[in-house]
Amino acid sequence: MDIKLRALRAFIEVVRQGGFSPAARQVFATQSAVSKAVRQLEDELGVVLLDRGVQPARLTDAGEVVYRRALALLAEQDDLRAELDELRGLQRGVLRLGLPPIGSSQLFAPLFARFRGLYPGIEVQLVEHGSKRLEAMLSDGELDLAGLLAPTSAAFDWQSVREEPMRVLVAESVPLDVAGERVRFAALAAQPFVLFEAGFALNPMLVDAARSAGFEPHVVARTSQIDFMVELVAAGLGVGFLPRLMAEPRRRPGVRVLALAEPELVWHMALAWRRGGYLPHAARAWLELAAAAA
């Protein structure tokens, strides 16, 4: 059964207006078109809806049932349109956002305040994980957007947020072959490494750089906390690595912050989403705001 909502609306207006002619004016159609729509509705349902033998036409018992149901159906349609308009207008909705612990406070905290000010009706559901977990959640449809290091998997589309060169953190007491404030990666071969926990996208970048420089890094500690990494470096446990954005504000007595002379590693943060997947209006608004802030 394929009941047309337009025919239901024409039928409702005939009842409300007390006739076909005033109903036609209400729905901006001809009287014959309205009469035909109601007749087709009766044929589709297999019942007579209006007693046309009296003036004005009266509802039959079946017509009473259909009229009541039609009012509810069209009210639901109006509610649906209004709710979708609210979503398109960002008056309501949910943004499911995944961010990494590294760099999010500097890059994304200001965006939260702006987003909240522009779209107070949007609820932001935030999770924080390493890149591997965020990639899995994004692939499974648990997230709309995730902060990942670029280039990302071919399964995702992405928008660049920020590129920062990597810095080496080393205790001042550690002797290194340094030219000015720059160090070659090969000069770190004898130093223990303090890295982030497994699942953080920085780790493979650093391990690959070490292997390209001709050595296998000796990892003595892992942490998910930037400040704890700095303290471990200050204590002389090993060398640490941070993007410049996070390293420079953490300069302190006892810790040197050095640039990499060779190779120059770049931390490239991006916002990613499933390629070919539906991107909600709230997620698009977040991307536009992030692009404007870049």
Side-chain angles (χ1 to χ4, degrees):
M1 185 179 294
D2 183 20
I3 300 174
K4 301 295 189 297
L5 291 176
R6 184 174 297 178
L8 287 176
R9 194 173 293 279
F11 169 62
I12 286 173
E13 288 304 328
V14 169
V15 177
R16 283 176 172 170
Q17 305 302 324
F20 289 92
S21 293
R25 291 192 293 272
Q26 193 67 25
V27 298
F28 304 101
T30 64
Q31 179 178 337
S32 62
V34 171
S35 179
K36 181 180 179 181
V38 174
R39 182 67 68 185
Q40 288 176 339
L41 183 61
E42 290 177 319
D43 292 343
E44 182 73 27
L45 295 173
V47 294
V48 176
L49 302 177
L50 294 169
D51 180 359
R52 295 168 175 80
V54 296
Q55 290 298 325
R58 289 198 305 254
L59 285 170
T60 63
D61 290 344
E64 291 278 4
V65 172
V66 174
Y67 179 69
R68 186 176 67 252
R69 293 286 188 172
L71 286 175
L73 280 172
L74 293 177
E76 283 292 328
Q77 184 196 39
D78 290 342
D79 288 347
L80 173 62
R81 290 183 183 277
E83 189 165 347
L84 291 176
D85 286 343
E86 285 183 351
L87 287 173
R88 283 190 286 265
L90 296 171
Q91 298 174 33
R92 60 183 298 182
V94 174
L95 171 61
R96 302 173 303 165
L97 180 64
L99 296 178
I102 303 173
S104 293
S105 58
Q106 291 93 333
L107 291 180
F108 298 111
L111 281 181
F112 273 93
R114 294 177 205 155
F115 192 84
R116 178 66 178 171
L118 290 170
Y119 312 111
I122 301 295
E123 176 190 354
V124 180
Q125 296 179 352
L126 175 66
V127 297
E128 290 185 283
H129 289 294
S131 293
K132 294 301 182 185
R133 176 61 180 145
L134 291 180
E135 286 183 7
M137 294 181 72
L138 200 57
S139 295
D140 293 342
E142 297 178 56
L143 296 174
D144 301 315
L145 294 172
L148 301 176
L149 290 192
T152 66
S153 161
F156 306 132
D157 286 321
W158 54 276
Q159 173 181 299
S160 179
V161 175
R162 183 81 166 256
E163 292 185 56
E164 289 284 330
M166 291 296 295
R167 294 291 185 255
V168 182
L169 281 70
V170 58
E172 288 183 347
S173 59
V174 173
L176 276 182
D177 182 11
V178 175
E181 290 297 303
R182 299 173 67 84
V183 62
R184 295 171 59 252
F185 213 96
L188 304 174
Q191 303 302 321
F193 280 24
V194 179
L195 298 182
F196 285 102
E197 290 179 350
F200 283 63
L202 271 179
N203 294 339
M205 179 196 303
L206 297 168
V207 171
D208 288 346
R211 289 170 179 167
S212 296
F215 68 95
E216 191 71 23
H218 173 47
V219 180
V220 292
R222 296 182 183 271
T223 178
S224 61
Q225 302 297 319
I226 294 177
D227 290 333
F228 188 45
M229 171 182 284
V230 175
E231 292 306 315
L232 292 176
V233 169
L237 192 66
V239 296
F241 303 86
L242 286 174
R244 179 181 58 186
L245 179 68
M246 286 136 266
E248 292 297 336
R250 289 173 170 82
R251 284 185 177 272
R252 48 154 290 180
V255 175
R256 302 168 70 186
V257 177
L258 305 175
L260 279 168
E262 182 186 336
E264 184 179 10
L265 301 181
V266 176
W267 176 84
H268 186 181
M269 177 56 63
L271 285 166
W273 59 94
R274 281 185 304 143
R275 177 164 293 173
Y278 171 69
L279 198 59
H281 292 279
R284 296 178 190 181
W286 181 274
L287 289 172
E288 289 175 7
L289 203 60

